[in-house]
Amino acid sequence: MKLGFIGLGIMGAPMAGHLLAGGHEVFAFSRSGVPAAVVAQGAQACASPAEVAQKADIIFTMVPDTPHVADVLFGANGVAQGISTGKTVVDMSSISPIATKEFAAKINALSCDYLDAPVSGGEVGAKAASLTIMVGGSEATFNKVQPLFALMGKNITLIGDNGSGQTCKVANQIVVALNIEAVGEALLFAAKAGADPAKVRQALMGGLATSRILELHGERMIKRTFNPGFRIELHQKDLNLALEGAKAMGLSLPNTASTQQLMSSCVAHGGAGWDHSGLVRALEIAANFQISPTPANPSAV
Amino acid sequence: MKLGFIGLGIMGAPMAGHLLAGGHEVFAFSRSGVPAAVVAQGAQACASPAEVAQKADIIFTMVPDTPHVADVLFGANGVAQGISTGKTVVDMSSISPIATKEFAAKINALSCDYLDAPVSGGEVGAKAASLTIMVGGSEATFNKVQPLFALMGKNITLIGDNGSGQTCKVANQIVVALNIEAVGEALLFAAKAGADPAKVRQALMGGLATSRILELHGERMIKRTFNPGFRIELHQKDLNLALEGAKAMGLSLPNTASTQQLMSSCVAHGGAGWDHSGLVRALEIAANFQISPTPANPSAV
């Protein structure tokens, strides 16, 4: 198929690579230029999102935030200026569910289809083609794009109408952030009370408290490996989407709000670029106590 | 061996049953009388904790809260009045780590050993002999009691000195409560935004957000099955231990504190006896919105 890919950063580049490896033509655009490695795999670099939309039938976008999606779709030389009847836009960025519904309506008004399809799994999942993909849109469009999703991910779910994919991603990020915070509070309590946090983590893994976060991020907290991973500043963006959405919908999300504040405290201490497991640092700084000593290796905070 | 068991409620009765089934003599006392079923299994009913301590070499206690442990150990006709050199007290209740250190010191002063060995896994785990057991005390005493623990549980960990078992249990209850709250916020956000919470739960189970709580309690929230399970009023007790301990140690546990407040809101709405997954009701009441409709079956809230 003739595919387009806009946004070839640390996520987009390997994802486009999987589409190329799947035997598809890929017309590519990236604000900072199409990476040589992706061109070497066969991607054809375009001068603008509009050119991508002219040449491809299904156009993927993978850019940092809501304004970037607005810009590549509807800005100068954007997708909307090159697209024509029957084509499909698939936004795999993690952005506002509310804005997504507007974007989908505008694309639909051009007689084109739209899917929101944000992912989780990070750079590792993008490279391994093991991303979780959460999709919003019509079932017919989902079925059409599904074989392409399958080249990039493993756990692929149609959640509902446009916006539902982004909503699901926000829900995912709420759970991940709050589970990290929970493990931080628990290990801090245990360590300060004199228990070995590694043994506590091990004991908790056997029961109701077990989670992927306890396993992965709990270990990072104990071993002090706060190099990303997933950066706190990116998770802040996601919690902002949650809190903005909650305000718009009249919801109170108390622990999402307080966890966002803890992330701000991390940023105040230079931690915007820490892995999100470094959230525990905010709790530690408040308590003037560390779960475990900082090792003498340069990757630790 | 000659064992004692004090406290034969919904947890203690099946636990004592496993010790009897393991071929041990069990001398039993319960405030409300030793259940006939446990006597039928061979337990010998005693008139007081002191009598249990006279007749048994290893005395287990499984009672509701810190004051009850203080009473059965050191009150009138308590264990301390019947115990003698070389015997062992194993408190499997979930109580204060700080009080536990005092209790252990007082038992040690009688030339006896003490283990704190709280459990997780609830009534189901007690009946199935699959409890997680978190132990504080000396390695020698742990090794002596370990074969008896193995009759009652599966994931048995010596965490550290006396109090560490209780500390680990508190850490467990922090993670469980905060993970429930996280799932509640996420599913509420998703449902209010118009996404199907069951599909969101399914999608999240594939990735970093996955947890035992998402699996079990997420489903209870969606299906509105808030019959216990583990009652909110019991989880409140555990979070109180966390917050009292945090205050004593100079820790700030912001999400434990706010989650405790949400549990209080549940109690205000008649929910002291709801399963702890019913915590989501406090978020729903605040938002004037329910994740999913209440079904027409009587077990739902």
Side-chain angles (χ1 to χ4, degrees), chain A:
Chain A
M1 296 181 75
K2 293 185 177 200
L3 308 178
F5 213 104
I6 297 168
L8 296 157
I10 59 167
M11 297 294 291
M15 291 164 72
H18 295 311
L19 297 174
L20 286 160
H24 299 284
E25 281 188 85
V26 173
F27 300 90
F29 175 80
S30 202
R31 206 172 32 169
S32 52
V34 176
V38 181
V39 174
Q41 288 177 276
Q44 300 171 51
C46 296
S48 68
E51 187 188 340
V52 171
Q54 279 160 3
K55 295 185 173 166
D57 295 316
I58 299 178
I59 302 110
F60 295 89
T61 53
M62 189 62 174
V63 295
D65 205 349
T66 309
H68 306 100
V69 176
D71 189 50
V72 300
L73 293 186
F74 307 111
N77 297 313
V79 165
Q81 291 179 20
I83 208 167
S84 52
T85 299
K87 296 192 174 187
T88 302
V89 172
V90 183
D91 178 34
M92 303 189 76
S93 321
S94 290
I95 67 163
S96 161
I98 297 165
T100 288
K101 288 176 192 174
E102 295 165 19
F103 297 163
K106 286 167 87 170
I107 294 293
N108 289 341
L110 300 170
S111 302
C112 294
D113 295 315
Y114 189 97
L115 294 179
D116 47 300
V119 305
S120 87
E123 188 180 355
V124 172
K127 286 182 174 165
S130 65
L131 293 167
T132 293
I133 307 178
M134 299 157 263
V135 188
S138 76
E139 196 164 348
T141 309
F142 174 76
N143 289 338
K144 187 172 66 178
V145 181
Q146 212 282 341
L148 303 172
F149 287 145
L151 295 172
M152 300 182 279
K154 281 200 168 132
N155 183 34
I156 301 153
T157 312
L158 177 63
I159 306 293
D161 294 341
N162 279 133
S164 297
Q166 297 294 355
T167 293
C168 187
K169 176 68 192 283
V170 172
N172 186 77
Q173 296 303 82
I174 290 173
V175 172
V176 169
L178 272 54
N179 281 8
I180 290 173
E181 207 277 344
V183 169
E185 290 199 16
L187 293 183
L188 184 63
F189 178 92
K192 178 85 187 194
D196 177 350
K199 286 188 179 164
V200 169
R201 171 180 165 277
Q202 198 57 45
L204 265 51
M205 299 241 310
L208 208 50
T210 199
S211 67
R212 192 69 51 82
I213 295 296
L214 177 66
E215 185 189 342
L216 299 178
H217 297 67
E219 186 171 40
R220 293 177 201 167
M221 292 177 197
I222 293 165
K223 294 193 172 166
R224 320 301 294 173
T225 49
F226 296 139
N227 45 331
F230 187 75
R231 294 197 302 281
I232 279 180
E233 62 191 344
L234 291 175
H235 214 143
Q236 276 195 301
K237 183 200 84 173
D238 296 332
L239 294 193
N240 269 338
L241 292 175
L243 294 171
E244 281 172 16
K247 183 156 184 285
M249 296 189 289
L251 297 181
S252 169
L253 302 181
N255 288 4
T256 299
S258 73
T259 302
Q260 173 75 304
Q261 297 304 309
L262 292 169
M263 288 187 179
S264 294
S265 171
C266 288
V267 172
H269 285 87
W274 297 345
D275 180 67
H276 52 174
S277 60
L279 177 54
V280 71
R281 290 287 298 130
L283 298 168
E284 292 179 333
I285 288 162
N288 194 25
F289 180 83
Q290 229 174 265
I291 284 176
S292 57
T294 303
N297 84 60
S299 75
V301 171

